[in-house]
Amino acid sequence: KHLPKIDIAVLEAAYIDEKGNIIPTTSVGNSVTFAHLAEKIIIEINTSIPFDFKGIHDVYLPEAYPDRKPLQITTSSERIGADFISIDPKKVIGVVFTEIPDSPAQVVPADEKTTAIADHLLAFFENEIKEERLTKSLLPLQAGIGKVANAVMSGLGKGDFENLEMYSEVLQDSTFELLDSGKMNFASASSLTVSESCYKHILANFSQYKDKILLRPQQISNSAEVIRRLGVIAINTAIEFDIYGNVNSTHLGGTKMMNGIGGSGDFARNAYLSIFVTQSASKENNAISHVLPMDSHVDHTEHDLDILVTEQGLADLRGLAPRERAKVIIQNCVHPDYKEHLQDYFERACKRGGHTPHILEEAFAMHARFNETGSMLAPQLVL
């Protein structure tokens, strides 16, 4: 009901079976909804996808409102649908063929910062296990797209974990590293976004993955109902966050879109543990701080997240009031070049009072300074 009229849908398929059903490829996404709503369908058969992809999909179209039934998913591996997309043959106006593989993801090797972020998060998980809030299997994991989240997931291979599972929107290289290592048993998502080398590895060894992955429609992989029921641990990447724990994951300087929100909002608000990771500062001479007095754009409010991590450290914000959160974030997550400045801002803001203290005329001063000078550092701090 939220989509406008769809005239033509182009659906990618590994092949069409003898009953006219579409066998999807490396993504299900919203194809099921498009096939249902479109007046006409063009099927693009990708001959680079092997026939044995049949079986890794779990296709389910929820009922219309207000008669929608609960999604009966209680584990990452539980199926509720078919392994094909059923379509009305009368809608099909053409079939085209291609052999172009998916565009590969650009996977950057872990560096000093991403490794440090992963290590902080691993130490956090190990302490949660020690405190008996988690087991060595943790809970189903979700990870956003990007080098930091991918590096963090890869880092789980170093920990004393076992029988891990994923319930995510996208599976990256790190998922298959964990499956190969034996640390992970199963992974559910909506699509694959992997590097060229990983994609070739998957195809060459597909038989060992076929019973360990499921690809579902996006409205199932990102369902708030399922995310909350499974107790997902969500790990997503921030562009910046502020001293009170609000997160910007989409816009640079509040105006230029870096990327869409993707599924991070679905997972952040409904996860058992909502974690955001980013480096504390970047560019030459640490010209950009990724921890600010106030975000230039907010995608995830302070109410939606539990843990913030940079290479400097980890801030556990669970159960903390705004002023308490600010102290923990400044102490643990801020780059040394900016810690004194942010501490000074916070202390002066507190003198003005308020539940969430701010100095409005200075809240975006670091952003403004970057626009004017190319660095967020105060002039006296620039080397």
Side-chain angles (χ1 to χ4, degrees):
K1 293 182 180 180
H2 303 294
L3 291 173
K5 177 184 176 182
I6 298 176
D7 297 317
I8 299 177
V10 181
L11 306 178
E12 186 183 52
Y15 66 94
I16 305 170
D17 71 14
E18 66 277 8
K19 296 182 179 179
N21 299 309
I22 292 176
I23 310 304
T25 58
T26 57
S27 174
V28 179
N30 291 309
S31 295
V32 184
T33 300
F34 297 154
H36 176 70
L37 295 178
E39 292 188 356
K40 299 176 182 179
I41 296 173
I42 296 174
I43 302 174
E44 180 189 60
I45 297 178
N46 193 328
T47 58
S48 73
I49 304 296
F51 277 18
D52 55 3
F53 260 49
K54 179 177 171 61
I56 67 167
H57 306 97
D58 184 32
V59 175
Y60 179 83
L61 183 65
E63 296 81 7
Y65 297 110
D67 300 316
R68 182 161 292 188
K69 296 180 176 61
L71 301 175
Q72 299 296 324
I73 299 175
T74 57
T75 65
S76 296
S77 57
E78 191 162 6
R79 288 177 172 271
I80 59 172
D83 58 5
F84 55 81
I85 300 175
S86 179
I87 62 171
D88 180 355
K90 295 178 182 178
K91 292 184 176 182
V92 179
I93 60 171
V95 177
V96 297
F97 292 83
T98 183
E99 56 181 5
I100 301 173
D102 291 346
S103 298
Q106 300 300 316
V107 177
V108 180
D111 56 24
E112 184 177 351
K113 288 184 178 181
T114 55
T115 299
I117 291 170
D119 289 343
H120 293 314
L121 198 48
L122 293 183
F124 167 78
F125 286 144
E126 289 166 356
N127 187 65
E128 291 294 286
I129 294 169
K130 180 181 177 182
E131 297 295 330
E132 298 184 347
R133 289 188 285 263
L134 292 172
T135 69
K136 290 184 178 182
S137 299
L138 303 180
L139 284 165
L141 298 161
Q142 176 263 339
I145 296 176
K147 69 174 185 178
V148 180
N150 192 65
V152 168
M153 287 297 295
S154 294
L156 291 175
K158 299 185 296 184
D160 185 23
F161 306 112
E162 59 189 21
N163 301 319
L164 297 174
E165 292 191 353
M166 285 195 76
Y167 193 86
S168 191
E169 181 181 11
V170 176
L171 303 184
Q172 299 187 88
D173 289 34
S174 53
T175 303
F176 295 93
E177 292 174 17
L178 291 170
L179 289 170
D180 290 344
S181 71
K183 295 279 188 180
M184 181 170 287
N185 292 345
F186 199 87
S188 166
S190 182
S191 65
L192 306 181
T193 301
V194 296
S195 65
E196 184 176 3
S197 60
C198 182
Y199 185 68
K200 290 179 179 178
H201 172 75
I202 294 168
L203 294 186
N205 301 275
F206 191 71
S207 60
Q208 73 184 55
Y209 298 120
K210 189 165 184 177
D211 63 348
K212 296 179 180 178
I213 61 174
L214 271 183
L215 299 182
R216 312 178 191 265
Q218 196 168 13
Q219 60 181 317
I220 307 301
S221 68
N222 293 32
S223 165
E225 172 194 351
V226 179
I227 294 166
R228 187 161 295 196
R229 181 185 302 123
L230 297 183
V232 169
I233 296 174
I235 305 170
N236 289 287
T237 304
I239 288 177
E240 64 185 13
F241 56 83
D242 67 29
I243 59 174
Y244 296 109
N246 300 289
V247 171
N248 169 16
S249 63
T250 60
H251 287 69
L252 299 177
T255 58
K256 298 177 181 178
M257 179 171 278
M258 177 71 172
N259 47 255
I261 192 172
S264 60
D266 301 317
F267 286 92
R269 170 140 286 196
N270 297 290
Y272 169 75
L273 279 176
S274 179
I275 301 167
F276 278 87
V277 298
T278 188
Q279 53 191 324
S280 64
S282 62
K283 302 302 181 183
E284 186 177 357
N285 295 324
N286 301 313
I288 296 176
S289 174
H290 295 272
V291 189
L292 288 305
M294 184 181 284
D295 283 339
S296 59
H297 175 90
V298 175
D299 293 292
H300 316 283
T301 73
E302 60 195 272
H303 310 293
D304 297 338
L305 60 129
D306 304 296
I307 310 293
L308 293 171
V309 195
T310 71
E311 81 282 0
Q312 302 296 326
L314 180 146
D316 185 346
L317 308 179
R318 293 175 292 180
L320 300 184
R323 294 188 187 212
E324 295 171 322
R325 288 198 295 269
K327 291 177 182 178
V328 173
I329 290 170
I330 293 171
Q331 177 62 37
N332 295 333
C333 297
V334 176
H335 191 278
D337 288 354
Y338 292 94
K339 185 170 290 188
E340 182 180 347
H341 175 77
L342 289 174
Q343 184 65 38
D344 175 67
Y345 173 89
F346 173 63
E347 290 174 359
R348 289 186 294 113
C350 286
K351 290 179 181 179
R352 293 194 175 187
H355 182 253
T356 306
H358 270 300
I359 305 172
L360 291 182
E361 64 270 25
E362 295 183 25
F364 296 113
M366 291 172 66
H367 293 94
R369 187 181 300 123
F370 178 79
N371 288 338
E372 293 171 3
T373 69
S375 176
M376 289 184 178
L377 286 164
Q380 66 270 23
L381 296 178
V382 178
L383 299 177

